[in-house]
Amino acid sequence: MDHPPKLLDGIRVLDLSRVLAGPWSGQLLADYGADVIKVERPDVGDDTRAWGPPYWGDPAHRTAAYYLSCNRGKRSIAIDIATAEGAALVRQLAAEADVVLENYKVGQLAKYGLDYAALSALNPRLVYCSVTGFGQDGPYAQAAGYDFAIQATGGLMSITGEKEGTPGSQPQKVGVAVADLFTGLYASTAILAALIERGRTGRGRHIDAALLDVQVAMLANQASNFLVGGQTPHRMGNAHINVVPYQVFATQDGHIVLAIGNDGQFARFCALTGHEDVARDARFATNSARLAHRDTLIPMMEPWMRERSTLEWTALLEPNAVPCAPILTVPQVLQHPQVVARGMQVSVEGIPMIANPIRVDGQRPLASHRPPMLDEHGPALRAALARDGHWPARDTDEPPGT
């Protein structure tokens, strides 16, 4: 990690976004070496600065862990864009930016001359990415979009949770804001594609990234199953709609994920458990047959799985190429020998963080600066812009002590 790759060195990103989807994209671009300036509201900053506890830092300068998760590598400047002076400062930055990220309501930035039409007229090479809940047009374009609501509206909760009729069953959201995170990733890939095209044409693009669109795309095989098969997908708990047995089983001391994806794996599983005859049974010999007889097979397997502990099962199945896994807590994940060996926990200027998951030529792209304090770089940025009139390089505007 001494010399992480800077694939986007020289690319300048003006991040007007807040909360998660836009900032996640901005952090990813910063990890890849882009110079990202984050514009925040004076006094309060990004909403997530206050989404704690837990907090990092002393009480006078504390920042919520949530904010830290998606803003490393950025410079912070506090600007009130509703003022003429603030809007002019943003336009000055945008005039030399390669990318603008924003997640304001549709049409809101036009009031300040900061929309795509205005900024692209100023800077035709600008790649401008708008992140919203429902997109730039359509009957819901003006509605606010929140990840939880998008998981509901976009169908994810209808297929997540215990099977209908199970005691306590209800639709469930995913444990992290996946619609936000996926939108940040989709936005980043679109931005990178637009930058590549700009290299050929010299012109930027306006990218319309909507959480609902992304959530619908994330339905993946579930949506395809409906389009092809015509049957409405439903909640199945930890079972798989297309593959059996592919679910959680209780063990002697806990639980285990059994993820058998083909007939050969099922035959090996049955042989290892002393039930070779089940793999030869016509009702269970193929995945299609197992799907048809799921309600017979799973109750048959449940007593088998309770005969051994989770550790004993993994020791038996993993070496014999039968996919399985214990269900780990977050602390256990971070202590997993493979996670440790791959260096997925890092420290950025003393702050513990999760690394970028990609390696390039054996190195992980990683922004070298911690998430900024509110307006940490504002005074130096304003001074440099007033003095030179240009977007200042990062090493020229670091405040003392950073």
Side-chain angles (χ1 to χ4, degrees), residues 158-159 222 225-226 229-235 241:
S158 76
I159 55 173
Q222 296 278 19
N225 286 344
F226 170 71
Q231 293 187 338
T232 302
H234 53 274
R235 301 194 308 279
I241 194 170

Side-chain angles (χ1 to χ4, degrees), residues 56-57 63 68-69 346-354 369-372:
W56 179 268
T63 299
L68 298 178
S69 75
V346 295
S347 176
V348 180
E349 296 189 36
I351 298 179
M353 307 190 78
I354 301 300
H369 295 274
R370 58 168 169 74

Side-chain angles (χ1 to χ4, degrees), residues 145-160:
Y146 299 93
D147 178 275
F148 194 177
I150 294 297
Q151 288 193 41
T153 303
L156 184 60
M157 290 180 65
S158 76
I159 55 173
T160 305

Side-chain angles (χ1 to χ4, degrees), residues 49-56 62-66:
R49 286 186 178 275
W51 284 11
Y55 293 99
W56 179 268
R62 69 181 190 177
T63 299
Y66 198 117

Side-chain angles (χ1 to χ4, degrees), residues 97-154:
D98 298 287
V99 178
V100 165
L101 270 168
E102 63 90 5
N103 65 346
Y104 284 79
K105 288 184 178 180
V106 174
Q108 189 170 358
L109 288 180
K111 296 186 295 184
Y112 313 116
L114 301 177
D115 58 320
Y116 173 68
L119 294 186
S120 64
L122 187 67
N123 178 2
R125 292 175 55 81
L126 188 65
V127 175
Y128 188 108
C129 181
S130 298
V131 178
T132 58
F134 296 91
Q136 296 295 303
D137 53 24
Y140 284 77
Q142 294 298 325
Y146 299 93
D147 178 275
F148 194 177
I150 294 297
Q151 288 193 41
T153 303

Side-chain angles (χ1 to χ4, degrees), residues 21 24-25 28 178-192 357:
W24 194 256
S25 177
L28 183 57
V178 289
D180 275 334
L181 296 173
F182 267 69
T183 301
L185 291 172
Y186 269 105
S188 297
T189 61
I191 288 167
L192 296 176

